[in-house]
Structure formats: C-alpha cells, structure tokens
Amino acid sequence: MASSLVFPSPSSTSTTSLFSSLTHKSFVPKRTRFPCYVNCEISEPVNGKPRVPIINDGTLPNFLQARRLQNAVSRNNNRLKIFTGTANPSLSQEIAWYMGFELGKVNIKRFADGEIYVQLQESVRGCDVYLIQSTCPPANENLMELLVMIDACRRASAKTITAVIPYFGYARADRKTQGRESIGAKLVANLITEAGADRVLACDLHSGQSMGYFDIPVDHVYCQPVVLDYLASKKISSDDLVVVSPDVGGVARARAFAKKLSDAPLAIVDKRRHGHNVAEVMNLIGDVKGKVAVMVDDMIDTAGTIAKGAELLHQEGAREVYACCTHAVFSPPAIEKLSSGLFQEVIVTNTIPAIEKNYFPQLTVLSVANLLGETIWRVHDDCSVSSIFQ
C-alpha cells in the first residue's frame, strides 16, 4: 500500500483552511527545527483494510532522514535502551526507528499455566531503560507483563526505568461514582510504582487527575497534534466546521481541540448513562446544521456514546460527521456501529494495534511513533516536554 510522508502545504488563497489561524512553526519544538511528527498522504482503503500511514526510508523527507542519522551517530546513546512488550511491537519498532535505535533483545514467554517469564538478553547495568507497553486488551495480561519487565530491569541494575504506556488501562476507574467501588487507576499506579518504575510516560489519559495517582513523575503526551495535522489536509472551510464533545466530561478536551482549529465553534452532546458501556443521548447544545461536525474523544470502546451522538448530529442537520480519538479499543459491537454509515471517517492513532478483524473502510490510523520518540529524547536529555505541544 503506497504511502508518503509530507508536510501540509499552505492553503490556497481561494479556500479558507480550517488551519488558517495556525502556522507550521507553531508545531516545531523550540529546541530544534525538526518537528516531532509528520503529516501523511494516505491512499484509499484496499480490500477493506484501513488507511494506515507507513514510515520507511523511501518516503521520509531528507531532513527527517538526517534527523534519524543524527540520533544514531551524534548522541551519547550507549546508556539508553529501549525494550518492548508483546502488546504493540509495531509501534515500538517505529519509535526505535525514529530514534535511530534497535530494540533491545528480550525473551518473553508464557508457561503452560499462563505465568509470564521475562529475561533481558543484554546488559542494562547503569542504563536508562524505556519499556514500551500498552495495557490494551487483554489488559490484565499486558499489565502483568509490564510489571514483570520492570522488575527484571530493576534486578538487572538499570539506572532508571521509564514505563512508556501509550494506552493506560483502568484509567476510567479514576474516582468513586457509587458506594463500594474500587479506584482501579490508583491501584494500577501503585503497582507500577512498587514494581520499580522511576517515571511514566502516557498518552491522553482519560482524566488529568490520574497523573496524581503516581508517586513518581508522569509525562502526559497529547496526541492531538497528530490528528490536527491530518485534519489540516482535508481543507475544510473553517466557516463550515464545528467541534463536538460526545459528553459533558470531554468538554475541556473538545474546547482545546476547537481552539487549534481556527477557534471553531463548540457543541456538546448531553448524555445520560444508565450503566457501564450503555449510553443514552438526550439533546444537543449548540448549532450543527449544515456543518461538518468533528467529534473528539480520548477513546472509543463499544462506540455506544459516539454512535448515538452521531445519530443526533445527523438529526440536527450536520452535513458530515468525523470521529477522532486517540485510543481505538473497539470492543464489540463497535465495528458494526462505526461502519454503519454514520461517519464520513473514523480517525484514530496506533496507541492500540489495529487488528485485521477491526478493519472497515472509513477507518484511518495515524502513527504517534515520532511524537513518542521525540518525547523520549526530551526526557532522556532533560529537556522540556510540554514545549512540543505549544
């Protein structure tokens, strides 16, 4: 499947781009002239498979190739090691490629009874180790694998251990909404800390307060710029655009997203939930008639919330509906709802690997590898991470 990586060209004078208030330099880290991610031109789906950006030597711009070579030859990288678990090895490989590294050798296997065995196959004594592992489905298996990997690094005398968690599971259990409930996010934070991690790097946590559950530093990476950069290529007129929050809890996220999209207007779906993974839409706050609606959320699980929201938007006269999220959990019956014709396009990232049974024509998967790779470099170099998103 042919793919290429290019930066968005300036908007034509005849069309008001939805990025009219933004310039390319607003996304360039101040420390270097090289951006932390690139835009992707993606071909049409083939045999029902999603349009997935592919990074390779042949399609990478020359200056970014130079950045990769610079990472490989001019950095003091003999003390930096990157290992991956089995949750999302393709993303880990892309991150290592961007940074100019090879993934560390590690032996991970299951015993007959399901117990997890981890052995590092190279020395990490005195090294800064980065363990890349999403706690995506199967969440408990991947979480336990991460904990055992952390313990293996600690017992191998690693200098520092950073858990890079593109998707942090249990994040939805971040508070008690009813009596006698657990706060799973705090429990998982304690487990990661006690296992021996010195720092956590996570993408788009379900709620910001989850950072406070850790007694170690947390770097919160926002994948919003990757999605914004892709939407810029759509050349949608800013006058036709409205950003929609699928529920009241996501208003702050949607407002920040709308501000980047030429300060687009905001609409809110008022939702009543009667149980876990069960949502009922009540009404819409805002005007979407004749507009292109972009629904923004941190994750899509069963797609109940976002699908009912899309139905309401069409009833209220929206011309097109786009769904944007970072974490594509896609638990059944999400695929049926997302591919039912409600959405012009469903835009997600690869924090969770896309499996073939979850492919459908409207799906677009964007890579966050360069964004995470740049963040790891900044953590390793003791540089600002937040400046990437300014």
Side-chain angles (χ1 to χ4, degrees):
M1 180 166 54
S3 300
S4 60
L5 297 174
V6 296
F7 285 100
S9 58
S11 303
S12 62
T13 55
S14 61
T15 303
T16 304
S17 169
L18 60 85
F19 254 55
S20 59
S21 67
L22 296 175
T23 60
H24 175 66
K25 78 175 184 178
S26 65
F27 290 106
V28 179
K30 297 179 181 178
R31 180 172 63 91
T32 173
R33 65 185 178 88
F34 300 108
C36 58
Y37 61 92
V38 294
N39 187 33
C40 305
E41 289 185 351
I42 304 171
S43 62
E44 290 301 311
V46 179
N47 296 328
K49 294 187 177 182
R51 296 160 282 188
V52 182
I54 299 175
I55 301 177
N56 57 65
D57 283 314
T59 60
L60 197 69
N62 290 333
F63 67 86
L64 201 51
Q65 288 188 37
R67 172 58 180 271
R68 187 171 80 92
L69 294 175
Q70 171 198 355
N71 289 343
V73 300
S74 66
R75 301 259 192 167
N76 180 22
N77 55 30
N78 60 335
R79 291 293 182 183
L80 193 157
K81 301 279 189 179
I82 301 175
F83 294 91
T84 181
T86 60
N88 198 347
S90 59
L91 173 59
S92 303
Q93 187 63 60
E94 289 183 29
I95 294 171
W97 185 92
Y98 171 78
M99 298 180 68
F101 278 88
E102 294 291 335
L103 288 173
K105 296 182 177 65
V106 58
N107 179 23
I108 302 175
K109 64 181 182 181
R110 264 68 169 174
F111 289 111
D113 62 353
E115 292 181 7
I116 298 170
Y117 172 84
V118 173
Q119 181 191 27
L120 305 178
Q121 310 248 282
E122 56 187 78
S123 174
V124 296
R125 187 178 297 275
C127 295
D128 296 315
V129 176
Y130 293 83
L131 303 176
I132 305 173
Q133 174 80 338
S134 285
T135 54
C136 53
N140 298 333
E141 285 279 314
N142 290 327
L143 174 60
M144 192 64 199
E145 186 177 298
L146 174 62
L147 298 176
V148 177
M149 290 174 65
I150 293 172
D151 184 70
C153 292
R154 180 174 63 86
R155 295 180 187 279
S157 302
K159 182 181 178 182
T160 62
I161 303 169
T162 300
V164 181
I165 310 175
Y167 171 66
F168 180 68
Y170 288 94
R172 285 173 285 184
D174 56 4
R175 66 193 186 279
K176 290 183 67 173
T177 58
Q178 303 177 62
R180 300 175 295 282
E181 283 186 328
S182 69
I183 303 179
K186 173 59 177 172
L187 173 62
V188 173
N190 288 343
L191 290 171
I192 292 171
T193 303
E194 291 302 317
D198 298 291
R199 177 183 292 271
V200 167
L201 194 159
C203 295
D204 282 339
L205 294 169
H206 187 64
S207 56
Q209 66 259 32
S210 297
M211 289 186 286
Y213 297 154
F214 290 89
D215 296 325
I216 54 179
V218 177
D219 290 299
H220 192 190
V221 177
Y222 299 95
C223 298
Q224 202 177 76
V226 178
V227 179
L228 287 167
D229 195 26
Y230 176 74
L231 284 175
S233 67
K234 296 293 180 181
K235 299 288 193 301
I236 305 170
S237 172
S238 58
D239 295 333
D240 294 337
L241 186 74
V242 59
V243 175
V244 181
S245 173
D247 53 32
V248 176
V251 170
R253 183 185 303 107
R255 184 183 293 117
F257 198 89
K259 187 175 181 181
K260 292 291 186 181
L261 291 179
S262 303
D263 205 13
L266 183 67
I268 304 168
V269 176
D270 180 30
K271 177 191 70 178
R272 296 291 186 268
R273 187 183 291 276
H274 299 297
H276 296 297
N277 299 130
V278 179
E280 180 183 349
V281 171
M282 300 300 290
N283 50 49
L284 180 71
I285 304 170
D287 180 26
V288 299
K289 188 173 183 179
K291 293 183 178 291
V292 176
V294 178
M295 301 187 74
V296 181
D297 210 347
D298 63 319
M299 71 171 69
I300 297 177
D301 189 357
T302 60
T305 297
I306 205 162
K308 286 181 178 290
E311 289 177 4
L312 179 63
L313 293 176
H314 283 294
Q315 291 171 12
E316 295 293 329
R319 192 169 80 238
E320 293 178 349
V321 179
Y322 287 80
C324 301
C325 83
T326 301
H327 309 300
V329 181
F330 289 173
S331 303
I335 304 305
E336 288 79 2
K337 293 178 179 178
L338 295 174
S339 60
S340 63
L342 290 171
F343 300 97
Q344 180 76 13
E345 193 170 352
V346 178
I347 304 166
V348 302
T349 72
N350 62 343
T351 57
I352 295 175
I355 56 179
E356 190 165 355
K357 70 176 184 178
N358 288 341
Y359 293 164
F360 56 96
Q362 296 90 350
L363 180 64
T364 296
V365 182
L366 304 179
S367 178
V368 295
N370 294 3
L371 182 64
L372 288 173
E374 180 66 23
T375 304
I376 291 173
W377 269 130
R378 287 171 177 249
V379 171
H380 184 66
D381 291 343
D382 297 322
C383 296
S384 170
V385 171
S386 61
S387 61
I388 296 176
F389 311 104
Q390 293 176 356

